[in-house]
Each structure stands twice: as C-alpha cells, then as structure tokens.
Amino acid sequence: MGLMYALCLSGVTIAVPLFSSFIVIVGTTLNYFLDRGLNKATLLFPGVACFFLAFCAGAATHILNESHVTKQKSYHEHRAGAVPLGMEDPNRAHAPGKQGATETVPQVQQKSALNGNSKGDLEAALPMGKSDSAADLATPPDHDPAKSVIYQDKMADQNAPQRSVKLDKSQRMFWGIGVAVLAGVVGSLFSPGFNVVTNDAFHTLAPGVEPLTVYTGYFYFTVPCLFLAFPVTQFFMMYPPLGQPKSSWSAYIKDHGILSFYGFLSGVCVSAANILQFLGGQAAGYAASDLVQANPIVATIWGIAFFKEYRKSSKAGYTCLVAMYLLYIAAVVLLALSASTRPGQ
C-alpha cells in the first residue's frame, strides 16, 4: 500500500527505484547473515553497491531533468511573451512591436481603447495565461513550439483536479519520497522473515521438527493479507490521507472501468513474482533472490514510454539515465553469480 501511494505521489521513476534500493541494501544484507554466508560475498555486496549507485544515478537523472524542464519553460514563456525575462510582476506586459520593452497591463488597456482596437487585439497584447478558459485550451497551438510548451503546462494544471492525490508538485514529491522510504524499510524485512520461517535460522524448532515449506509459508502470509485487506481498505475509504475525497464500497462496486481489472491483474503478477522469488531463494540463497528487485529497469521504461517522464531531457540527464540502466544490469548479473546451492536442495 505504501508503494502504491508513493507511485501516485512521486511517479514511477522515483518511487520504484527508491523502494527497491532499500529492500536490496537492507534485505540482502540480512539474508546473507541469516543464510550464514551461503552466497558469495565478493560478488553479492558489489552487486548491492551497484543497486545503491543505480539509485543515485536515477535521483541525479530526476534532478537534472527537473532543472532542464524549468529552464526550458522559462525560455519558452519568454519567447511566447508570457513573462519577460527579469520581470516577475504579473501586471506588466510586452509593448507590441517593441522587443524587450514592457508596459503595465492598464497602460496596454488604455492605449488599446484610444486606438480603437478590438478585444482580440487587446488579448494578443497581454501576457499569455490571463485567460485559461476551456476554449483557450481546446486546440494546441502546434504552429508555435514556444506556445505549445505553455499549452502543455496549462493542460497539466487543468488536469490536476483529476489526480488521485491532489497536492502541488513539491508536496507530492516530499510525501512520495517519505512514503517510498518507509515502504522500503518495512518491505526489506519481508524476504528475511520468509528466510527465518523456511530455514529455522534461529533454531527455535524442536529436534526432528521440519521448518515450513515455501508454499506453506506463503499460505500463512496470504491468509492475514486477505482478512486485513477489508478493514484497512474501509479505514482509508472513511479517512483518506492527504486531503483525498471519501469513498465507499458501493462506489467501488459501481466502478466498472478497465482500471479495476488492471489493479486485479497487478495483484496476480505480484503474487506470482513473490512465490517465484522465494522458491529461488530457498534453492540458491535468499540474498541472491533479491535480484528481482531490479524491477526499476522495467518501471523506468514504463515511465519513459507511457508517462513521458523524461521526454526531451538534457544530455546530462540522459547520460545519468543510461548509467542507471547499466548499473542495474550489473547489479542483477553480480547477484545472480553470487548464488550457491543450499545444502539438501
């Protein structure tokens, strides 16, 4: 649930790498000691280091991209006449026909009236952004790249009320990172906990008593999840965090959109991934099985291809993005090579 909120708040390319990095750094280290050094430390911990460096590269990519987008937006606003460079006063506008000169909005209005200009002429002389009606945003001004950037920014603001979490960008990022870190810390205990119950790491069982199998352990894990899902969901429907609107079971049932199916399908995929990870961990060491946390490779592809999170970024941003991919691939290879067969398997 924490990861889902983090995805809504900070986006795919921030939430998933941060969540996975905490799981690998903390969880893999705990699993190594619980398995009593089953995996090759000389390969395992360099792989963990690659995970950490990959996250750092991803964070650098995000920072560079945000800086680049801010600069581009300022540049295009200047080209479109939205905000003259160095002029933050919203009551000032370009004087028509004079490059770099400015007049106040009342001065433009008075001059327009004296010259007999129409309302359309007056609006053309005023800064962009003074009229945000639906008609203004109906057709993107594809003929002018500078105005197209302003149009896309306006459309993002218009669509903001439809977000599942209605906060401004800085607040969303702050809460998203915080929730992702908390979810990663809690999630990092998941795989070590499974390691304990399937291998009796602390020797708490009586002689002759076998520890749980992976399937039995996963059954005991899913049962409380099933029964806790309903009261927890009810609580968050009645008391939604971060200013979200309240909901109900009847509203959920009436929602027949394809998104409900996608949510169900994602749960099936996560369950299948969990059981496969634990089967691999039981056979070759749980520390090595944490290589499945390289899912940021796929998540970032989704963020780029479908959500356009790094569209038209800077060269430095793309360089960090490529470095992040290479580090994740190196981490997966090193963790896989660190695997060793568990005795008795």
Side-chain angles (χ1 to χ4, degrees):
M1 180 176 289
L3 177 59
M4 298 303 105
Y5 269 105
L7 287 171
C8 295
L9 289 163
S10 58
V12 176
T13 55
I14 292 295
V16 176
L18 185 57
F19 173 79
S20 298
S21 296
F22 267 88
I23 288 181
V24 171
I25 294 170
V26 179
T28 302
T29 303
L30 291 175
N31 277 321
Y32 175 78
F33 290 105
L34 288 172
D35 280 336
R36 296 174 179 82
L38 176 63
N39 297 105
K40 302 179 183 69
T42 53
L43 295 173
L44 181 69
F45 289 108
V48 173
C50 285
F51 258 97
F52 175 73
L53 293 175
F55 165 72
C56 292
T61 302
H62 177 76
I63 293 171
L64 291 170
N65 181 68
E66 288 297 311
S67 175
H68 179 74
V69 169
T70 301
K71 291 179 181 178
Q72 288 291 101
K73 180 182 175 183
S74 176
Y75 169 75
H76 287 300
E77 282 179 341
H78 173 57
R79 281 188 58 196
V83 180
L85 289 179
M87 300 297 296
E88 283 76 21
D89 186 356
N91 290 323
R92 302 190 68 86
H94 281 297
K98 295 181 180 181
Q99 181 65 26
T102 59
E103 293 181 342
T104 62
V105 173
Q107 288 173 339
V108 175
Q109 292 172 338
Q110 183 178 10
K111 184 179 291 186
S112 177
L114 292 175
N115 294 336
N117 292 337
S118 64
K119 181 179 179 182
D121 296 330
L122 173 60
E123 289 181 349
L126 292 176
M128 290 183 64
K130 293 298 179 184
S131 176
D132 289 337
S133 64
D136 296 328
L137 299 175
T139 305
D142 294 329
H143 62 281
D144 190 336
K147 293 184 179 181
S148 296
V149 173
I150 308 301
Y151 166 83
Q152 293 168 6
D153 187 61
K154 286 183 179 182
M155 288 302 298
D157 292 338
Q158 289 285 83
N159 292 330
Q162 301 178 11
R163 281 184 170 273
S164 57
V165 180
K166 301 174 181 64
L167 295 173
D168 63 56
K169 189 171 184 178
S170 60
Q171 287 180 312
R172 289 203 314 271
M173 193 60 61
F174 172 79
W175 284 105
I177 292 175
V179 172
V181 169
L182 180 60
V185 171
V186 175
S188 66
L189 303 177
F190 182 38
S191 178
F194 233 88
N195 193 349
V196 170
V197 300
T198 55
N199 291 300
D200 190 24
F202 297 128
H203 303 287
T204 57
L205 297 177
V209 178
E210 294 292 331
L212 299 178
T213 65
V214 171
Y215 299 107
T216 307
Y218 198 69
F219 171 79
Y220 284 118
F221 163 74
T222 54
V223 168
C225 287
L226 174 64
F227 288 102
L228 285 174
F230 294 98
V232 170
T233 302
Q234 177 65 31
F235 175 83
F236 280 103
M237 282 181 172
M238 295 177 62
Y239 306 101
L242 304 175
Q244 298 179 84
K246 293 184 178 181
S247 186
S248 63
W249 288 105
S250 59
Y252 178 80
I253 294 173
K254 291 178 181 179
D255 183 10
H256 299 294
I258 192 64
L259 295 179
S260 298
F261 172 75
Y262 287 156
F264 176 81
L265 184 61
S266 66
V268 174
C269 292
V270 169
S271 297
N274 282 338
I275 193 66
L276 291 173
Q277 176 187 357
F278 298 141
L279 286 171
Q282 186 64 19
Y286 279 88
S289 70
D290 284 336
L291 63 85
V292 300
Q293 296 302 329
N295 49 48
I297 296 176
V298 180
T300 306
I301 293 175
W302 276 83
I304 295 172
F306 295 95
F307 302 121
K308 313 298 181 185
E309 293 194 5
Y310 293 133
R311 184 184 181 187
K312 297 181 180 179
S313 185
S314 63
K315 291 182 179 179
Y318 285 133
T319 300
C320 289
L321 187 65
V322 172
M324 183 192 72
Y325 270 106
L326 295 177
L327 286 167
Y328 273 126
I329 293 172
V332 170
V333 172
L334 288 171
L335 262 65
L337 292 176
S338 73
S340 299
T341 304
R342 188 184 300 277
Q345 297 295 320

